[in-house]
Amino acid sequence: MKTVKGFDGLLAIYKKLPKVGGFYVDNNFLNKKAIINNSNYYVPQSEEEDDDMEDVYKTWLEFPTFTAIIENKLEHHPDATKDDLLDAVVYYLEEDDFLD
């Protein structure tokens, strides 16, 4: 399992994420801006590890969904800040829609 630290860490790896799978988070994780910004995210390194993690952690966003949220925001706003990208993620989680 790889641990990604905070939203900055997610932004650093989003272009390298696998095409399938998703992030795991701690069970007390909430979809709140401050929590998303500062939490650890867990990335399984094998299918077996993925199966084991389901019993211990809570699932969060799928890798392709996270990537699509970030790329969509940057496509519409190439100069988007980290806060803009975080707002786009929160919007998606709340509205199940992309924030252009």
Side-chain angles (χ1 to χ4, degrees):
M1 164 179 66
K2 178 179 179 181
T3 300
V4 179
K5 298 198 181 281
F7 192 67
D8 287 334
L10 295 178
L11 293 178
I13 66 163
Y14 85 92
K15 291 181 181 179
K16 303 172 199 163
L17 290 169
K19 296 197 184 304
V20 295
F23 296 104
Y24 288 91
V25 292
D26 293 314
N27 287 316
N28 60 350
F29 183 93
L30 298 171
N31 288 325
K32 303 288 183 194
K33 201 171 178 179
I35 294 172
I36 294 169
N37 201 36
N38 297 306
S39 289
N40 287 328
Y41 299 87
Y42 308 106
V43 179
Q45 301 298 294
S46 69
E47 191 171 320
E48 182 178 288
E49 190 173 61
D50 187 44
D51 292 340
D52 293 341
M53 289 174 71
E54 288 180 0
D55 297 330
V56 179
Y57 298 100
K58 183 161 82 170
T59 58
W60 192 53
L61 287 171
E62 296 290 318
F63 300 142
T65 303
F66 182 79
T67 300
I69 293 166
I70 300 303
E71 289 178 348
N72 179 72
K73 185 65 177 178
L74 290 172
E75 180 180 313
H76 288 90
H77 301 279
D79 296 327
T81 65
K82 178 186 118 174
D83 284 337
D84 295 334
L85 298 174
L86 182 55
D87 288 341
V89 170
V90 171
Y91 184 86
Y92 181 88
L93 292 166
E94 292 175 350
E95 304 295 330
D96 195 26
D97 195 13
F98 294 101
L99 178 64
D100 295 337

